[in-house]
Amino acid sequence: MMSDDMLSQDEIDALLRGTSEPEEETKDTSSDLIVEEYLSSMEQDALGEIGNISFGSSATALSTLLNQKVEITTPAVSIIDRNKLTEEFPHPYVAIEVEYTEGFSGTNLLVIKQSDASIIADLMLGGDGTNPEDHMGEIQLSAVQEAMNQMMGSAATSMSTVFSKKVDISPPTIDLLNVQQGEGTDAIPKQSLLVKISFRLKIGSLIDSSIMQLLQLEFAKDLVHELMNPAPAASPEEFSPPEAPIQEETPTAHAPEIHERQNEMAYAGAAVNHQQPTGPQHFGGYGGTQQANVQPAMFSNFDASPVQSHEPKNLDMLMDIPLHVTVELGRTNKSVKDILELTSGSIIELDKLAGEPVDILVNSRLIAKGEVVVIDENFGVRITDIVSQSDRIKKLK
């Protein structure tokens, strides 16, 4: 007979397993996807290295925009099942989709928490990030979209260097992502298996979270294949071959670093080969008795870089950001006593003369002067003069 104070064998087994519901826990654990079954360790290292290089430059661009120290580090590669997005993204997120228009064929989806996106939007709109808006409106989404556009533009430039070819992207599209409510899931690639590359995101003392990159599994493997088997960096007309040939190496886990070093050597070789000394040399194993032909250094013209500017596209992204326009009739200074004595019918004298042009301000900055007009039943202002840059500077002093 078993005492009530004694544990049964089932209870002992449950304690040894560390849970009171062993069968359910075992079921959840066995359903997790093992990344090694889909990506080798070399492929994982390569994807992490591509992300490190791309997001390293993206962090610099974002830091300039937000005027905050930005760190994007520690990539972690995993495989997720599209049917289990609720487990992967339990909170409201913001998804930014970018399509590669040149260099690659695929899409790149960035996912960040909605709370982090609100802080980024507040910083973009001139705030300090401590009191962001709880609701992501059109203005906030436009601000985050522009920040991500700058980030992905810098990432595309870095990938052009890594893969030795032009890489271009489409303007990013942004959407709110709430998987539990079925909101924004159309932006997620339709493939059943996706590669998730998670980075630690730190923005000053405001954000210490993560930013995730979702890629189709096939697209991720294509990136690794192109990195391990790069195409010729340039045609013979553009670059002369390096003086010392680069020995082909068998791809290893450090292949990204090897190919990056090869690209640097190729560019360096192109720069120095414009002026090659004639005749026998006495340097680096080239035997001879004649003196070297020393000439001024000649450098390549980097204006013809294969990476073209994204300024027109980036400027287009700013066109729909709303600005606050104010027409100022005049100003005056009053003491607290004068303000408290104001009643209905009181008259406040301004510093402007009758008929003098009024000031037109955009985001509290003087940009023009004009005269007040009446349009139907509404007031309006007709611009009579655009303020010069020197006058704007004087106005700020």
Side-chain angles (χ1 to χ4, degrees):
M1 180 175 180
M2 184 174 296
S3 173
D4 294 338
D5 295 333
M6 297 179 62
L7 296 176
S8 66
Q9 185 61 44
D10 292 339
E11 291 173 329
I12 294 174
D13 293 340
L15 288 174
L16 291 176
R17 295 189 186 97
T19 175
S20 59
E21 298 178 357
E23 295 182 358
E24 183 178 353
E25 183 69 23
T26 304
K27 180 180 179 181
D28 292 339
T29 304
S30 62
S31 62
D32 292 340
L33 297 176
I34 302 175
V35 64
E36 285 76 12
E37 295 181 357
Y38 303 92
L39 295 171
S40 64
S41 59
M42 181 181 68
E43 291 174 324
Q44 296 177 49
D45 291 341
L47 289 173
E49 188 64 21
I50 294 172
N52 265 333
I53 296 173
S54 301
F55 280 93
S57 60
S58 298
T60 303
L62 189 61
S63 177
T64 303
L65 282 176
L66 305 182
N67 196 25
Q68 294 276 343
K69 182 181 179 182
V70 177
E71 297 179 58
I72 302 178
T73 56
T74 318
V77 181
S78 60
I79 300 292
I80 64 174
D81 189 346
R82 198 181 191 280
N83 296 324
K84 296 187 177 182
L85 293 177
T86 306
E87 301 175 9
E88 296 291 339
F89 305 108
H91 307 289
Y93 289 82
V94 173
I96 302 94
E97 183 180 13
V98 169
E99 183 177 357
Y100 291 96
T101 59
E102 188 169 350
F104 301 108
S105 178
T107 59
N108 191 346
L109 189 70
L110 290 181
V111 180
I112 59 176
K113 290 182 180 178
Q114 187 171 323
S115 56
D116 298 337
S118 298
I119 295 176
I120 293 175
D122 188 61
L123 293 171
M124 287 285 291
L125 296 173
D128 58 7
T130 56
N131 295 302
E133 294 285 342
D134 294 334
H135 174 69
M136 291 289 292
E138 184 177 351
I139 298 177
Q140 286 76 18
L141 287 176
S142 297
V144 175
Q145 187 177 20
E146 175 58 20
M148 295 301 109
N149 180 52
Q150 296 291 338
M151 285 184 60
M152 294 308 298
S154 298
T157 302
S158 299
M159 292 181 70
S160 298
T161 304
V162 172
F163 289 92
S164 301
K165 66 178 180 179
K166 181 180 178 181
V167 177
D168 205 353
I169 59 173
S170 64
T173 59
I174 189 168
D175 201 356
L176 296 176
L177 178 63
N178 193 330
V179 179
Q180 293 183 348
Q181 298 181 4
E183 182 181 3
T185 55
D186 293 340
I188 300 177
K190 304 301 181 183
Q191 284 77 3
S192 58
L193 295 180
L194 302 173
V195 178
K196 182 178 76 172
I197 308 174
S198 300
F199 299 84
R200 185 180 181 185
L201 173 65
K202 295 181 65 177
I203 300 180
S205 59
L206 301 170
I207 295 177
D208 188 355
S209 184
S210 62
I211 181 170
M212 291 158 281
Q213 184 181 26
L214 294 184
L215 303 173
Q216 304 98 320
L217 180 59
E218 296 80 5
F219 179 45
K221 285 182 171 291
D222 290 341
L223 287 177
V224 175
H225 176 75
E226 288 205 32
L227 187 66
M228 300 304 177
N229 303 277
S235 61
E237 292 79 5
E238 294 184 80
F239 298 106
S240 301
E243 199 170 325
I246 301 173
Q247 184 175 359
E248 294 279 334
E249 296 281 350
T250 303
T252 64
H254 301 285
E257 300 174 1
I258 295 173
H259 290 298
E260 182 179 1
R261 180 61 183 161
Q262 289 178 351
N263 293 333
E264 292 175 358
M265 294 176 64
Y267 277 100
V272 301
N273 278 335
H274 281 280
Q275 290 292 335
Q276 289 291 344
T278 58
Q281 306 293 316
H282 203 277
F283 306 105
Y286 292 93
T289 58
Q290 296 186 10
Q291 188 176 1
N293 181 17
V294 180
Q295 298 181 7
M298 301 292 291
F299 298 96
S300 300
N301 181 12
F302 290 97
D303 292 337
S305 173
V307 183
Q308 297 180 355
S309 174
H310 296 274
E311 289 184 2
K313 290 185 178 179
N314 292 340
L315 186 59
D316 292 340
M317 296 300 300
L318 296 172
M319 293 304 181
D320 60 349
I321 295 180
L323 300 175
H324 190 63
V325 180
T326 306
V327 177
E328 189 175 277
L329 184 61
R331 296 188 181 190
T332 188
N333 293 322
K334 294 288 183 182
S335 65
V336 175
K337 179 177 178 295
D338 294 334
I339 297 300
L340 294 176
E341 291 177 352
L342 291 177
T343 60
S344 298
S346 298
I347 297 176
I348 300 176
E349 186 177 353
L350 303 177
D351 59 356
K352 288 283 184 77
L353 299 175
E356 190 176 351
V358 296
D359 294 338
I360 303 172
L361 302 96
V362 175
N363 282 8
S364 301
R365 296 290 185 268
L366 179 65
I367 61 111
K369 292 181 177 292
E371 58 182 5
V372 178
V373 296
V374 177
I375 305 173
D376 295 332
E377 297 180 356
N378 299 324
F379 282 112
V381 60
R382 179 187 292 115
I383 295 178
T384 58
D385 182 35
I386 300 295
V387 179
S388 64
Q389 184 178 7
S390 59
D391 290 340
R392 293 200 298 268
I393 295 174
K394 291 178 182 178
K395 193 74 174 178
L396 293 174
K397 292 181 179 180

